[in-house]
Amino acid sequence: MAEERLKEMAQILIAELQENETLIYQKIRRLIDSSLKNITEITPFSEPVTQIGSIIFYPQQYRVTVHGTSADLLPSEFHLLHLLAVYAGNPVGHQEISQTISSKKNRKTSDAVIAANGVMRLRKKLQQYQLARYIHIGVVMGVGYRLMQGTE
């Protein structure tokens, strides 16, 4: 008899735990949905936006904004700038830059040349949109490049 009572109590507890688990799941789902809704409301064009330092990245448009000035970039320029910004002033190697901006697997051009060409194009674009006064890409001899952000 005691054994049957224990089984019955165990079944009741299991049912309560399952009910609580469902309630917890529903609460988490509502919180996630609410958070996503808030992000969508504050984000133009319902796209994810990343801000690193003073640079705001709009990935769906390949656009960046720095201190209210926007620039439309090519995908490779956008990804290069984002990579450099993620490292926040630390050097990024030629190989990593090359892999980020070049999709060709069997290429004959060295990583250093690919990185240098990508940085050169990005610098020109930053100059064109007058963002070079806020963002500077410096050379780290023998290593790669680093992004330095300033405020004019």
Side-chain angles (χ1 to χ4, degrees), residues 52 73 120 145:
I52 302 173
L73 304 175
M120 179 185 68
Y145 298 89

Side-chain angles (χ1 to χ4, degrees), residues 94-106:
H94 296 118
Q95 184 178 11
E96 189 166 0
I97 291 172
S98 175
Q99 290 171 352
T100 299
I101 63 175
S102 177
S103 60
K104 296 177 183 166
K105 303 270 188 242
N106 299 322

Side-chain angles (χ1 to χ4, degrees), residues 49-117:
V49 172
T50 306
Q51 180 166 356
I52 302 173
S54 60
I55 308 170
I56 303 171
F57 293 88
Y58 298 90
Q60 290 179 348
Q61 298 173 298
Y62 299 112
R63 175 177 289 158
V64 295
T65 301
V66 183
H67 298 293
T69 304
S70 293
D72 294 315
L73 304 175
L74 295 173
S76 62
E77 296 164 344
F78 181 88
H79 294 301
L80 174 56
L81 182 58
H82 190 267
L83 174 69
L84 292 168
V86 166
Y87 277 82
N90 294 310
V92 181
H94 296 118
Q95 184 178 11
E96 189 166 0
I97 291 172
S98 175
Q99 290 171 352
T100 299
I101 63 175
S102 177
S103 60
K104 296 177 183 166
K105 303 270 188 242
N106 299 322
R107 58 182 185 267
K108 294 181 181 173
T109 309
S110 73
D111 291 331
V113 171
I114 292 171
N117 288 336

